């Protein structure tokens, strides 16, 4: 398996620290809103990496955090007049629903920043002791960036270049106006509480952690001082991951991560997706129109490091491509039902061996830095081969082996190709009635359960003034 390592800027042969095992940390979302389809890209591509490595026989310890203390969460909490943890808990639950819809497996551990504050205080204390950090008079603690000689080794920036004109990039490194700060490049590890903000006791002041420290602490706690792979979107390379390295390596005295993987950005109609431009879609918006299986398939049509353009046309194209695979599987099911012979003829045995070559080619594409674009092309070649040879076959064994191969490969990608069990209209209406009754009885838990059950089967509910309407996602 070759992985493009952001730090060395080369594709490298993957060698795990412990044979047969992989420790992997993926920076997760800040939970103040429904996740958008940009956030979904790292979830889908690194889940695919995990599935593929598991298929190759590795045991993957996969950690992905939820950042549940942050300015945006606090702002939203103040707007809704609710405690910050109610906002973060709500959006963690919503994020998990979207993950399920996209067939993203839950991480081995999903730590939350607010549950790891003690560990952060310990690491900050340790950094102060080692002279890599210092508290100031108002209780803010800064990291002494220049003291970490290798600062910039991931993003290939050096502090002198940043100083002579590129400073705008260093949003976390800007002058703060705090006169006790020793250097513009120093970044915050701990900051004092402001009115209306959640706060924790610490040796320096009542306050809360800076953003970067949580990942250093959680990665060490759940995976160890040196981990195999650290991943996230490319916007995190600088300053977030650079700062994580500075914190972890100064505190632990050993390399932090052996491989750094970063996904490229998702654009909308060739324009960078951003909330301020208003050109963004939540995963929930997409789920209104499509089965999220289509979104997952669409995301994997590009290699994860390439930029990926999202548009209505491209989603439609993804939907019909995926349908071609599903139709082939459906066709095989139909043929199997009517197949007369069990065993394969010699010709079918030969064809089976040919079909097996597609699996090797799929693996070759995936082994090349997870080239899912090429891997999907191989699946289409297999589908073509199936369509060419299956019709003439009356052997159940041969037909079943073809289906097995398509399902094996699509399963590795987390793509579902078998028909969902269809609900009859009458069953749907009975469930909707039960949900209305549950709501009347204020049993919102049951009402939500029913909505989720229906949504998992592709039924979308809409509460209107005229009552509940439903439709099937296509
Ligand atoms: P955030 O909640 O902004 O910290 O983002 C969570 C994850 O989503 C990070 O790994 C980001 O790099 C990633 N991400 C955010 N926006 C996009 C985008 N438009 N395309 C790809 N990845 C993104
Ligand atoms: Zn992180």
């Amino acid at each position: 398996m070759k992985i493009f390592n952001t730090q060395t800027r080369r594709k490298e042969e993957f060698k795990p620290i412990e044979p047969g095992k992989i420790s992997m940390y993926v920076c997760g979302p800040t939970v103040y809103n429904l996740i958008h389809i940009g956030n979904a890209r790292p979830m889908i591509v690194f889940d695919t990496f995990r599935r593929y490595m598991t298929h190759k026989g590795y045991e993957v310890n996969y950690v992905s955090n939820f950042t549940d203390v942050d300015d945006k969460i606090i702002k939203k909490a103040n707007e809704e007049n609710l405690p910050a943890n109610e906002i973060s808990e709500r959006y963690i639950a919503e994020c998990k629903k979207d993950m399920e819809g996209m067939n993203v497996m839950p991480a081995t551990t999903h730590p939350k920043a607010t549950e790891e504050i003690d560990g952060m205080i310990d690491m900050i204390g340790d950094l102060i002791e080692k002279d890599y950090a210092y508290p100031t008079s108002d209780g803010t603690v800064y990291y002494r960036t220049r003291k970490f000689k290798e600062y910039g080794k991931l993003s290939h920036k050096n502090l002198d270049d940043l100083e002579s004109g590129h400073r705008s990039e260093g949003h976390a490194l800007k002058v703060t106006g705090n006169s006790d700060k020793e250097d513009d490049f120093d970044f915050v590890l701990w900051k004092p509480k402001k009115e209306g903000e959640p706060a924790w006791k610490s040796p320096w002041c009542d306050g809360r952690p800076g953003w970067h420290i949580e990942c250093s602490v959680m990665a060490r706690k759940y995976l160890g001082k040196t981990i195999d792979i650290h991943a996230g979107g490319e916007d995190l390379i600088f300053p977030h991951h650079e700062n994580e390295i500075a914190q972890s390596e100064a505190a632990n005295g050993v390399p932090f991560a052996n491989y750094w993987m970063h996904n490229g950005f998702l654009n909308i109609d060739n324009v960078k997706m951003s909330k301020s431009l208003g050109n963004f879609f939540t995963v929930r918006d997409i789920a209104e129109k499509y089965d999220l299986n289509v979104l997952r398939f669409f995301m994997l049509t590009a290699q994860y490091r390439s930029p990926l353009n999202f548009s209505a046309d491209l989603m439609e194209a993804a939907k019909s491509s995926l349908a071609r695979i599903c139709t082939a599987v459906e066709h095989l099911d139909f043929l199997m039902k009517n197949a007369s012979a069990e065993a394969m003829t010699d010709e079918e045995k030969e064809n089976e061996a040919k079909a097996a070559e597609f699996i090797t080619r799929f693996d070759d594409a995936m082994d090349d830095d997870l080239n899912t674009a090429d891997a999907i092309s191989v699946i289409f070649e297999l589908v073509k081969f199936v369509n060419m040879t299956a019709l003439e076959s009356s052997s159940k064994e041969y037909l079943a082996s073809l289906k097995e191969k398509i399902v094996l490969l699509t399963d590795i990608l987390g793509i579902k190709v078998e028909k969902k069990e269809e609900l009859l209209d009458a069953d749907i209406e009975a469930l909707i009635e039960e949900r209305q009754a549950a709501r009347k009885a204020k049993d919102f838990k049951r009402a939500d359960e029913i909505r989720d059950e229906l949504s998992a089967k592709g039924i979308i509910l809409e509460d209107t003034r005229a009552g509940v309407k439903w439709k099937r996602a296509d």
Side-chain angles (χ1 to χ4, degrees):
M1 176 79 193
K2 283 204 162 62
I3 293 178
F4 183 90
N5 185 351
T6 308
Q7 187 163 339
T8 58
R9 289 177 166 164
R10 275 190 289 117
K11 277 189 198 167
E12 294 173 10
E13 192 56 42
F14 174 68
K15 289 197 198 78
I17 299 166
E18 239 188 282
K21 294 196 172 166
I22 298 176
S23 51
M24 177 159 188
Y25 187 95
V26 183
C27 292
T30 306
V31 278
Y32 68 103
N33 223 329
L34 292 174
I35 58 163
H36 58 61
I37 54 176
N39 302 134
R41 190 171 188 198
M43 288 177 183
I44 291 171
V45 298
F46 297 120
D47 176 68
T48 304
F49 178 81
R50 176 190 187 183
R51 285 170 186 268
Y52 181 60
M53 296 313 260
T54 305
H55 156 77
K56 282 171 90 77
Y58 287 97
E59 191 186 307
V60 186
N61 190 352
Y62 191 97
V63 176
S64 190
N65 64 311
F66 285 116
T67 299
D68 63 347
V69 53
D70 166 90
D71 290 344
K72 293 184 224 109
I73 300 173
I74 294 167
K75 185 165 170 270
K76 180 105 175 182
N78 291 339
E79 279 165 16
E80 293 196 24
N81 214 2
L82 285 171
N85 67 333
E86 273 190 41
I87 299 291
S88 55
E89 286 303 320
R90 181 201 300 163
Y91 290 112
I92 287 173
E94 298 296 351
C95 176
K96 286 184 173 169
K97 276 188 208 162
D98 288 337
M99 285 169 61
E100 199 184 328
M102 298 185 295
N103 205 17
V104 169
M105 293 192 289
T108 317
T109 316
H110 273 296
K112 297 177 202 163
T114 56
E115 290 174 4
E116 307 288 342
I117 303 284
D118 288 350
M120 296 190 225
I121 291 174
D122 281 351
M123 192 181 272
I124 296 170
D126 191 24
L127 288 170
I128 294 175
E129 209 162 283
K130 293 189 161 94
D131 217 29
Y132 277 97
Y134 58 95
T136 57
S137 55
D138 69 351
T140 307
V141 183
Y142 290 102
Y143 186 93
R144 198 170 263 133
T145 304
R146 278 183 203 275
K147 188 170 163 76
F148 185 69
K149 292 290 169 246
E150 292 176 281
Y151 193 85
K153 67 178 173 179
L154 178 70
S155 53
H156 305 272
K157 292 178 193 293
N158 75 55
L159 290 177
D160 296 329
D161 288 348
L162 285 173
E163 207 157 32
S164 60
H166 299 285
R167 198 171 284 173
S168 59
E169 291 184 65
H171 40 288
L173 307 175
K174 270 190 206 141
V175 187
T176 62
N178 180 337
S179 56
D180 290 347
K181 192 176 173 182
E182 290 175 3
D183 191 288
D184 288 352
F185 290 120
D186 296 350
F187 61 87
V188 173
L189 298 172
W190 187 265
K191 54 185 163 191
K193 162 189 177 134
K194 286 196 210 121
E195 195 51 40
E197 290 188 355
W200 289 264
K201 289 217 163 315
S202 84
W204 315 289
C205 62
D206 285 1
R208 62 188 168 102
W211 170 34
H212 316 294
I213 193 74
E214 67 182 71
C215 294
S216 285
V217 168
M218 295 169 183
R220 179 172 76 182
K221 177 169 169 186
Y222 296 100
L223 298 170
K225 288 183 178 172
T226 302
I227 65 174
D228 287 307
I229 300 168
H230 197 314
E234 66 183 7
D235 57 323
L236 300 185
I237 299 172
F238 182 85
H240 182 54
H241 287 163
E242 202 68 75
N243 291 355
E244 282 188 36
I245 293 177
Q247 294 164 159
S248 293
E249 297 194 357
N252 303 329
V254 291
F256 181 33
N258 288 340
Y259 302 86
W260 287 88
M261 296 174 80
H262 291 100
N263 64 272
F265 250 48
L266 184 101
N267 300 318
I268 307 262
D269 293 325
N270 290 312
V271 180
K272 193 182 158 113
M273 186 171 86
S274 90
K275 291 212 167 152
S276 54
L277 289 172
N279 64 339
F280 75 96
F281 294 104
T282 63
V283 170
R284 224 41 82 79
D285 291 334
I286 303 303
E288 288 281 304
K289 258 195 101 180
Y290 295 96
D291 187 324
L292 291 178
N293 198 33
V294 179
L295 181 67
R296 181 170 182 123
F297 179 79
F298 164 77
M299 293 270 185
L300 296 177
T301 54
Q303 200 269 356
Y304 73 93
R305 285 190 294 120
S306 323
L308 174 59
N309 191 39
F310 178 94
S311 71
D313 287 351
L314 290 168
M315 267 304 272
E316 281 301 317
K319 187 177 151 187
S320 38
S321 297
L322 179 57
R324 266 164 55 206
I325 309 178
C326 300
T327 306
V329 171
E330 217 175 296
H331 197 190
L332 286 171
D333 280 335
F334 174 79
L335 293 172
M336 264 187 276
K337 265 194 217 137
N338 300 303
S340 51
E342 283 295 328
M344 292 191 248
T345 61
D346 286 347
E347 195 191 344
E348 281 162 345
K349 278 186 196 148
E350 253 173 54
N351 279 344
E352 214 235 323
K354 278 189 202 155
E357 284 168 23
F358 292 104
I359 296 184
T360 316
R361 288 181 48 214
F362 175 94
D363 283 354
D364 290 345
M366 295 292 271
D367 280 342
D368 181 14
D369 195 28
L370 206 76
N371 195 335
T372 53
D374 284 359
I376 287 176
S377 306
V378 175
I379 296 180
F380 280 113
E381 285 183 52
L382 171 60
V383 165
K384 206 165 147 195
F385 184 81
V386 166
N387 292 342
M388 259 164 34
T389 64
L391 254 190
E392 288 155 25
S393 172
S394 52
S395 155
K396 216 174 236 174
E397 193 187 352
Y398 178 63
L399 297 167
S401 92
L402 291 179
K403 177 175 168 184
E404 205 176 278
K405 288 182 180 58
I406 298 181
V407 172
L408 170 76
L409 302 187
T410 47
D411 266 358
I412 292 172
L413 300 179
I415 304 287
K416 295 178 188 155
V417 290
E418 292 189 82
K419 259 221 148 119
K420 278 188 218 148
E421 196 191 313
E422 289 252 321
L423 274 182
L424 297 172
D425 289 8
D427 295 338
I428 297 169
E429 269 145 29
L431 278 166
I432 292 175
E433 250 172 55
E434 191 190 335
R435 176 167 168 266
Q436 294 301 84
R439 287 171 116 196
K440 245 194 207 142
K442 299 215 180 312
D443 183 357
F444 297 112
K445 195 166 157 264
R446 177 68 192 138
D448 283 351
E449 262 170 29
I450 295 172
R451 174 185 278 267
D452 294 346
E453 189 183 327
L454 286 167
S455 137
K457 297 209 162 110
I459 307 300
I460 297 159
L461 299 187
E462 199 191 337
D463 293 309
T464 70
R465 261 190 232 162
V468 182
K469 286 196 181 143
W470 65 269
K471 62 174 186 191
R472 294 179 199 271
D474 42 24

